[in-house]
Amino acid sequence: MDKNAICKINIDALLRFGREVGFDIYIRLSDDKTIKISHAEDYRAVLPKYKEKGVQYVYVVKEQYTQYLEGLKSNLTNKFYNPSTTPQVQLELLGDSYNAVRESLVQFGINEVALSVAEELSRKSLEVVTKSANIYQLFMDFKKNCGEQFMKKMITSYTTTLMISNFDWQTGAIKEKAALSCILSDIILNPEEIAELEAGRETPDELSERVYNHPLIISKMLQEGGNIVSKETAIMVEQHHERPDGTGFPKKLRHTTITLLSAIQIVAEDFVENLVATNFDHRLHDEILRKFLSRYYQGNFRKAAMSLCKMFGMDVPGF
């Protein structure tokens, strides 16, 4: 098979998919040996034996990958409103959908089907975190199966929308645009690139070109899709690694040119990183918030930091 003409699906994700598929599945046993499972066969009976042999991914032809995305979107609706669906199944479905949107963006760029899955993924992620009685436990329970990066994105999205709620101009539509940005912001990066990004946060000039420029790459993808993604979402994605003092990337913008919505996402993401680093120790919240008021004191960032403080009941004069 032409490697450029196929998309990969994690074998566990496809086994969880739980639907008939109208496309052939390919398993690559080596660089020069590939076998085909016809769509007429029951892949759920065949794939477990290959999983036992260490096969991690299966492949489908690019033209047929959309069918998988459409099935995931349907599952996001049907399984979430099925009372028998456990929280674990919900989180696994969200993680599978996140990975599928990533693969679609890398292979095709933005398209309406992938965007519709991303939007539904964003909405359902907010539902899960909102209903959770303990966000720390949610993160710890599911970061292994669903991926730590995706779990951070979920909590950042939730925090961002709560911060927006403190402003008079907030609307449901604005929150949805912001939540979508949180989900899409690093989505084209693979696990190795995410690790590089995490290690190089304080030294961004040392990042590889692709990791350094990924906000511009994703934003360009979104804008090339026409009007299917809002301008606000594209700008937030482009600016999400900038910093008020100009030490961020990729454009080294300063606080004077960073939008308020972008500043809110940046502060929310930084806060979530601090929560994870401190194992969500609530006793350290006030210390983190005071640090944020000192760090984010310029322009729109001050408003964002003050909103975060208000979210936790801290009295901030002038907000």
Side-chain angles (χ1 to χ4, degrees), residues 20 25-26 43 51 71 74 101 109 150 160 166 170 179 232 235 246 266 306:
E20 299 295 333
I25 299 167
Y26 296 86
Y43 70 93
K51 179 183 174 182
S74 180
V101 172
F150 174 63
T160 297
N166 288 325
Q170 64 91 16
E232 293 91 339
I235 291 173
I266 291 165
M306 292 169 75

Side-chain angles (χ1 to χ4, degrees), residues 4 29 43 49 58 79 108 113-114 133 152 163 183 203-204 221 244 276 295 318:
N4 295 319
L29 299 180
Y43 70 93
K49 69 178 183 180
V58 298
K79 289 190 177 182
F108 308 109
V113 176
K152 286 181 183 178
M163 290 168 66
I183 293 296
T203 54
M221 282 182 180
V276 173
R295 176 183 300 170

Side-chain angles (χ1 to χ4, degrees), residues 33 43 55 68 72 89 111 116 130 194 207 256 307 309 318:
K33 185 176 182 181
Y43 70 93
V55 174
Y68 176 61
L72 284 172
V89 171
N111 61 77
S116 67
T130 300
I194 289 294
L207 295 171
T256 52
S307 178
C309 291

Side-chain angles (χ1 to χ4, degrees), residues 43-197:
Y43 70 93
R44 289 164 292 192
V46 176
L47 291 185
K49 69 178 183 180
Y50 287 102
K51 179 183 174 182
E52 290 177 1
K53 294 178 180 179
V55 174
Q56 187 176 1
Y57 295 102
V58 298
Y59 299 85
V60 300
V61 175
K62 275 187 177 182
E63 288 74 14
Q64 298 175 330
Y65 193 71
T66 299
Q67 296 179 43
Y68 176 61
L69 285 171
E70 290 172 338
L72 284 172
K73 183 182 178 183
S74 180
N75 281 348
L76 281 170
T77 300
N78 296 333
K79 289 190 177 182
F80 264 74
Y81 293 112
N82 184 334
S84 66
T85 302
T86 65
Q88 178 172 339
V89 171
Q90 289 182 335
L91 266 294
E92 288 173 344
L93 176 56
L94 291 174
D96 293 343
S97 300
Y98 181 78
N99 291 329
V101 172
R102 173 196 289 139
E103 180 72 3
S104 181
L105 289 180
V106 169
Q107 297 288 355
F108 308 109
I110 193 66
N111 61 77
E112 290 191 11
V113 176
L115 179 63
S116 67
V117 175
E119 289 173 334
E120 194 65 20
L121 163 65
S122 178
R123 285 190 285 268
K124 293 299 187 293
S125 296
L126 286 175
E127 284 184 25
V128 168
V129 182
T130 300
K131 292 177 181 178
S132 174
N134 188 321
I135 293 178
Y136 168 72
Q137 201 60 50
L138 181 77
F139 179 82
M140 296 304 295
D141 286 348
F142 296 107
K143 70 174 184 176
K144 182 177 180 180
N145 287 342
C146 300
E148 181 171 320
Q149 176 68 9
F150 174 63
M151 296 302 296
K152 286 181 183 178
K153 292 295 182 187
M154 283 182 58
I155 300 172
T156 298
S157 176
Y158 175 67
T159 305
T160 297
T161 58
L162 287 182
M163 290 168 66
I164 290 173
S165 296
N166 288 325
F167 293 91
D168 293 338
W169 44 261
Q170 64 91 16
T171 65
I174 291 173
K175 290 179 182 178
E176 286 197 1
K177 292 174 183 178
L180 184 60
S181 171
C182 295
I183 293 296
L184 294 177
S185 287
D186 298 318
I187 198 166
I188 66 169
L189 301 182
N190 61 39
E192 292 76 22
E193 291 168 330
I194 289 294
E196 178 189 343
L197 176 64

Side-chain angles (χ1 to χ4, degrees), residues 18-43:
R19 289 171 165 266
E20 299 295 333
V21 296
F23 50 82
D24 298 333
I25 299 167
Y26 296 86
I27 298 176
R28 189 180 295 156
L29 299 180
S30 65
D31 288 341
D32 56 0
K33 185 176 182 181
T34 301
I35 64 170
K36 181 174 79 171
I37 301 174
S38 168
H39 65 273
E41 299 180 60
D42 185 358
Y43 70 93

Side-chain angles (χ1 to χ4, degrees), residues 144-310:
K144 182 177 180 180
N145 287 342
C146 300
E148 181 171 320
Q149 176 68 9
F150 174 63
M151 296 302 296
K152 286 181 183 178
K153 292 295 182 187
M154 283 182 58
I155 300 172
T156 298
S157 176
Y158 175 67
T159 305
T160 297
T161 58
L162 287 182
M163 290 168 66
I164 290 173
S165 296
N166 288 325
F167 293 91
D168 293 338
W169 44 261
Q170 64 91 16
T171 65
I174 291 173
K175 290 179 182 178
E176 286 197 1
K177 292 174 183 178
L180 184 60
S181 171
C182 295
I183 293 296
L184 294 177
S185 287
D186 298 318
I187 198 166
I188 66 169
L189 301 182
N190 61 39
E192 292 76 22
E193 291 168 330
I194 289 294
E196 178 189 343
L197 176 64
E198 295 285 345
R201 285 186 181 276
E202 301 304 318
T203 54
D205 289 341
E206 298 176 11
L207 295 171
S208 63
E209 183 178 356
R210 175 177 162 83
V211 174
Y212 188 88
N213 288 314
H214 78 270
L216 295 176
I217 296 171
I218 302 172
S219 180
K220 183 180 179 182
M221 282 182 180
L222 300 181
Q223 293 177 68
E224 287 177 344
N227 296 321
I228 62 176
V229 177
S230 72
K231 182 179 180 180
E232 293 91 339
T233 297
I235 291 173
M236 290 178 73
V237 168
E238 184 174 305
Q239 297 183 346
H240 77 281
H241 283 303
E242 302 291 351
R243 293 296 179 264
D245 59 0
T247 60
F249 66 96
K251 290 188 172 182
K252 297 187 180 298
L253 301 178
R254 295 182 63 83
H255 63 89
T256 52
T257 53
I258 297 172
T259 70
L260 177 54
L261 282 175
S262 295
I264 290 171
Q265 180 181 342
I266 291 165
V267 171
E269 184 177 276
D270 193 5
F271 180 68
V272 171
E273 290 291 343
N274 274 263
L275 289 182
V276 173
T278 59
N279 289 318
F280 291 76
D281 190 338
H282 69 277
R283 295 169 297 181
L284 300 176
H285 282 181
D286 285 354
E287 178 184 334
I288 294 172
L289 293 174
R290 284 192 294 270
K291 179 175 67 175
F292 272 40
L293 286 174
S294 298
R295 176 183 300 170
Y296 297 114
Y297 64 91
Q298 297 169 298
N300 286 325
F301 284 88
R302 176 162 176 77
K303 296 176 184 176
M306 292 169 75
S307 178
L308 180 66
C309 291
K310 183 178 180 180

